[in-house]
Amino acid sequence: MATLEGTTAIVTGSSRGIGADVAQQLAAQGAAVVVNYRQKAPRANKVVAGIEAAGGKAVAVGADLTTPEGPAALIDAAVSTFGGLNLLVLNASGGMETGMGEDYALKLNRDAQVNMLTAAAEVMPAGSRVVFITSHQAHFIEKVETMDAYEPVARSKRAGEDALRALIPQLDEKGISLVVVSGDMIEGTVTATLLDRATPGAIEARRQEAGRLYSVAEFATEIVRMVTADVPTGHTEYVGGAEDFLAKS
């Protein structure tokens, strides 16, 4: 199903987990994909090798999005390798890591997202789409409490979402749409593992509350679906267990 034939996508933070699955699924639909990693080149190269083995097109690019040169490296790769940029999936996030500095969550989850989108919008043609990936815990943080260990990350990701939404008028002028995909806790992700370590039983508790949790591959499928979905700019797509968050908010 080559529905994305002739398009190029950047997927930030795509050497593993959700980002890697999104990159693979986009490539399977015909998109040429820039696979982004911060430090783990072998993992990114493995993702690219898998895409190429399946007949797709991809390139791995090391770039720290919190640096001024990070976004430029990804955009340069998209343009020089594949001739342009039509899709930007803002998947990279963090803030629970140790030793990264007190303001790292905000630098990555807000500032880097804005810088990446601002730079990408300069080369993206009309009809392009940007997808920002967040969590229910972050999206609803102003109205629904979350676990103490995740609160700083949640607030920084909500700040990032708000900052990106503030760019919608400028994106509209260029014909670029922005869609937000908000997911419940996802089985098998680093964040879920860290939360379960900080609060033992957190994954099982959330599974019981939500009924079920999406897998990495299932969540990636929903993200890829929103790349071409006929929805207005600014749309939020809720994936898994949002009913109780909506009720509380």
Side-chain angles (χ1 to χ4, degrees), residues 18 184-190 192-193 203-204 207 212-219:
I18 294 165
D184 203 345
M185 189 180 287
I186 306 298
E187 297 257 25
T189 59
V190 173
T193 300
I203 293 175
E204 183 56 34
R207 185 186 295 111
R212 83 174 186 97
L213 299 180
Y214 275 61
S215 69
V216 167
E218 288 173 327
F219 187 44

Side-chain angles (χ1 to χ4, degrees), residues 20-106:
D21 265 55
V22 168
Q24 290 161 347
Q25 291 189 34
L26 288 173
Q29 292 190 25
V33 184
V34 176
V35 174
N36 164 233
Y37 66 93
R38 185 169 65 89
Q39 290 180 316
K40 309 291 187 180
R43 284 199 307 223
N45 290 333
K46 186 176 180 181
V47 174
V48 169
I51 288 172
E52 292 178 338
K57 294 176 288 188
V59 63
V61 179
D64 182 346
L65 300 186
T66 64
T67 65
E69 59 272 15
L74 295 178
I75 295 163
D76 288 348
V79 174
S80 63
T81 308
F82 301 122
L85 177 62
N86 315 89
L87 306 170
L88 173 62
V89 180
L90 294 169
N91 168 72
S93 67
M96 294 187 71
E97 304 89 339
T98 57
M100 298 299 289
E102 190 175 334
D103 62 344
Y104 180 69
L106 207 55

Side-chain angles (χ1 to χ4, degrees), residues 8-14 16 18-20 22-23 26 33-34 36 63-66 70-72 74-75 85-94 107-121 124 129-135 156-157 159-168 171 176-183 219 223-224 226-227:
T8 299
I10 291 174
V11 184
T12 64
S14 48
R16 65 178 177 182
I18 294 165
V22 168
L26 288 173
V33 184
V34 176
N36 164 233
D64 182 346
L65 300 186
T66 64
L74 295 178
I75 295 163
L85 177 62
N86 315 89
L87 306 170
L88 173 62
V89 180
L90 294 169
N91 168 72
S93 67
K107 281 175 63 178
L108 176 58
N109 297 330
R110 182 193 65 189
D111 302 344
Q113 309 298 320
V114 170
N115 292 341
M116 184 71 232
L117 175 51
T118 301
M124 298 176 82
R129 173 156 291 180
V130 179
V131 179
F132 174 67
I133 303 169
T134 189
S135 64
S156 67
K157 283 186 70 67
E161 180 181 341
D162 291 343
L164 293 175
R165 289 185 182 278
L167 297 176
I168 287 177
L171 296 175
I176 302 169
S177 59
L178 170 71
V179 174
V180 174
V181 179
S182 177
F219 187 44
I223 294 166
V224 171
M226 297 314 298
V227 164

